[in-house]
Amino acid sequence: MNPTYRIAPSILSADFARLGDEVRTVIASGADWIHFDVMDNHYVPNLTFGPMICQALKPHAATPDGKPVPIDVHLMVQPVDELATAFAKAGADYISFHPDASNHVHRSIQNIKSHGAKAGLTFNPAMPLDVLDWVIEDLDLILLMSVNPGFGGQSFIDSTLRKIEAVRKRIDACGKDIRLEVDGGIKETNIRAVANAGADTFVAGSAIFGKPDYKAVIDQMRANLAA
Ligand code: DX5
Ligand code: ZN
């Protein structure tokens, strides 16, 4: 099997004073998706940006020849539904949320889909996967946190590799086309191990935006994935 890998730079580590330029530059450097980390200072101890910023960035999320690049919204918010709806209206392509932040997980998934976005579920490092028994067929994306959510620049938690393997088995058994994305502490040096465990989509914030040459980092990540 040769999966189509996707690299999703997190603009959490971009220069917030120049977000439109940063999005264009990282796409021109080879980004496949733009990862958009929404934090509410309630579900997580940090505060970032909301649907108005997503809407403002939407026209910038395109390749230099005008092809749209998906905006991958990761909601670290509680409650979920009202903001999920607002992000769908603001042009988000994928919207994922944490099941422990919603009282009605199935309803939250359907709400996202009813507004035309693709739906994802996100699991913190110590969260069990049981809820997938009941909703996996409704999902387009499963996002595994490999750090505790709230901040960029943390170290990859190794038990995530076992969890990726477990989710890969569940996706293969279900037979649906579901992206398996991993978020936190991913760099050129560990991206291959994350792929080997079964991931196909990789969030990287500080590893990309923390370096002057985004293309060099993304090219190296792709070379390591292809090796
Ligand atoms: C953490 C965020 C991540 C974060 C990853 O709450 O969900 O997307 O930006 O950052 P790095 O790649 O720096 O670990
Ligand atoms: Zn994220």
Side-chain angles (χ1 to χ4, degrees), residues 35 37 74 76 143 145 183 203:
H35 188 78
D37 282 309
H74 172 193
M76 288 159 271
L143 174 57
M145 295 306 300
D183 186 0
V203 177

Side-chain angles (χ1 to χ4, degrees), residues 142-203:
I142 296 171
L143 174 57
L144 293 185
M145 295 306 300
S146 39
V147 298
N148 291 300
F151 302 95
Q154 305 179 75
S155 300
F156 187 91
I157 296 171
D158 283 329
S159 63
T160 311
L161 293 174
R162 279 190 284 125
K163 204 173 203 179
I164 298 167
E165 289 170 6
V167 172
R168 172 49 61 199
K169 283 196 191 124
R170 284 175 182 259
I171 291 175
D172 289 348
C174 147
K176 224 197 118 186
D177 180 21
I178 301 170
R179 287 261 137 203
L180 204 181
E181 183 174 34
V182 180
D183 186 0
I186 295 184
K187 308 179 182 320
E188 304 95 304
T189 45
N190 62 7
I191 195 167
R192 181 71 241 173
V194 176
N196 285 349
D200 53 36
T201 305
F202 310 89
V203 177

Side-chain angles (χ1 to χ4, degrees), residues 6-159:
R6 300 271 183 251
I7 295 177
S10 166
I11 57 169
L12 181 63
S13 293
D15 179 350
F16 281 10
R18 312 171 30 251
L19 272 183
D21 287 348
E22 290 274 71
V23 166
R24 284 189 183 278
T25 305
V26 85
I27 290 171
S29 304
D32 299 301
W33 291 6
I34 294 298
H35 188 78
F36 194 98
D37 282 309
V38 183
M39 304 185 185
D40 67 349
N41 188 35
H42 170 70
Y43 181 72
V44 288
N46 199 354
L47 184 65
T48 57
F49 27 54
M52 290 164 76
I53 308 285
C54 179
Q55 190 171 8
L57 289 176
K58 183 71 176 169
H60 298 271
T63 59
D65 56 1
K67 206 171 142 256
V69 168
I71 298 182
D72 170 33
V73 170
H74 172 193
L75 293 180
M76 288 159 271
V77 306
Q78 189 172 27
V80 170
D81 294 346
E82 195 176 335
L83 273 176
T85 301
F87 272 101
K89 290 182 178 165
D93 296 278
Y94 288 84
I95 299 173
S96 51
F97 67 95
H98 291 252
D100 44 309
S102 169
N103 288 329
H104 305 287
V105 172
H106 182 272
R107 178 182 289 156
S108 294
I109 294 169
Q110 304 312 321
N111 175 53
I112 291 168
K113 292 165 70 149
S114 75
H115 288 93
K118 293 187 166 141
L121 265 192
T122 304
F123 294 87
N124 285 330
M127 275 297 288
L129 298 168
D130 307 16
V131 66
L132 289 177
D133 288 345
W134 314 109
V135 295
I136 190 165
E137 274 139 20
D138 297 316
L139 296 175
D140 302 291
L141 172 76
I142 296 171
L143 174 57
L144 293 185
M145 295 306 300
S146 39
V147 298
N148 291 300
F151 302 95
Q154 305 179 75
S155 300
F156 187 91
I157 296 171
D158 283 329
S159 63

